[in-house]
């Protein structure tokens, strides 16, 4: 199931370079897409979180696999926040402060890449540090741009 979800998102990523209007016939389609992508990111990120917080046994290989998925998937949701796709859990600030939103998205992608690098060391302390930095980018964006 995990491989199937990753495959579906990878196929969807192939179209990520096209304008959002061309990708989504309706705003609802964009909302479902971005919520789905962010949900899958959260699932894989949460698996790493469980390890770094001692709630699951540390498995360096699993941490790396999940981090690689997070980094790959981190590129997906942003195309679904184009003009005319307002709604869902996104605050109006996404569209009013689009430059800041884009900056936050880029920070998340950059920190996710650093998390991958940390997992490749197999060092739990380095992974904890990178996980915390990545989690902080999530929190900052959620605080500014996501409704509760």
């Amino acid at each position: 199931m995990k491989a199937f979800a990753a495959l579906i998102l990878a196929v969807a990523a192939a179209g990520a370079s096209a304008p959002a209007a061309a990708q989504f016939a309706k705003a609802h389609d964009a909302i479902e897409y971005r919520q789905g992508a962010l949900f899958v990111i959260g699932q894989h990120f949460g698996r790493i979180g469980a390890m770094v917080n001692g709630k699951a046994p540390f498995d360096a290989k699993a941490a790396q696999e999940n981090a690689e998925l997070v980094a790959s998937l981190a590129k997906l949701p942003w195309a679904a926040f184009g003009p005319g796709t307002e709604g869902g859990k996104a605050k109006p600030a996404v569209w009013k402060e689009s430059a800041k939103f884009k900056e936050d998205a880029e920070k998340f992608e950059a920190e996710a890449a650093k998390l991958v690098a940390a997992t490749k060391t197999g060092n739990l302390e380095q992974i904890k540090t990178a996980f915390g930095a990545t989690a902080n980018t999530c929190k900052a964006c959620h605080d500014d741009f996501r409704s509760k």
Side-chain angles (χ1 to χ4, degrees):
M1 185 66 181
K2 178 172 72 171
F4 179 73
L7 175 64
I8 295 299
L9 289 172
V11 170
S17 61
Q23 291 182 51
F24 306 105
K26 301 175 189 169
H28 178 75
D29 297 338
I31 293 167
E32 282 191 350
Y33 174 87
R34 68 186 182 229
Q35 287 179 342
L38 290 164
F39 175 80
V40 174
I41 290 168
Q43 291 296 303
H44 291 283
F45 193 65
R47 291 174 184 161
I48 302 166
M51 286 184 243
V52 302
N53 291 311
K55 294 180 180 176
F58 176 63
D59 179 337
K61 183 179 181 215
Q64 183 177 342
E65 289 171 350
N66 281 288
E68 288 171 348
L69 283 167
V70 168
S72 293
L73 297 169
K75 299 171 180 90
L76 295 182
W78 320 122
F81 286 97
T85 65
E86 292 84 352
K89 295 179 181 178
K91 291 180 181 178
V94 168
W95 294 271
K96 291 178 184 171
E97 301 174 36
S98 60
K100 182 174 178 353
F101 180 72
K102 182 179 179 191
E103 181 181 317
D104 283 358
E106 289 170 352
K107 284 179 184 176
F108 170 64
E109 289 180 40
E111 292 302 327
K114 291 177 188 177
L115 179 59
V116 171
T119 62
K120 288 181 179 181
T121 70
N123 180 301
L124 182 57
E125 291 308 312
Q126 289 183 24
I127 295 168
K128 284 181 181 182
T129 299
F131 179 86
T134 307
N136 285 339
T137 65
C138 296
K139 182 181 179 334
C141 192
H142 285 196
D143 288 349
D144 293 339
F145 299 109
R146 183 178 186 218
S147 297
K148 304 287 182 219

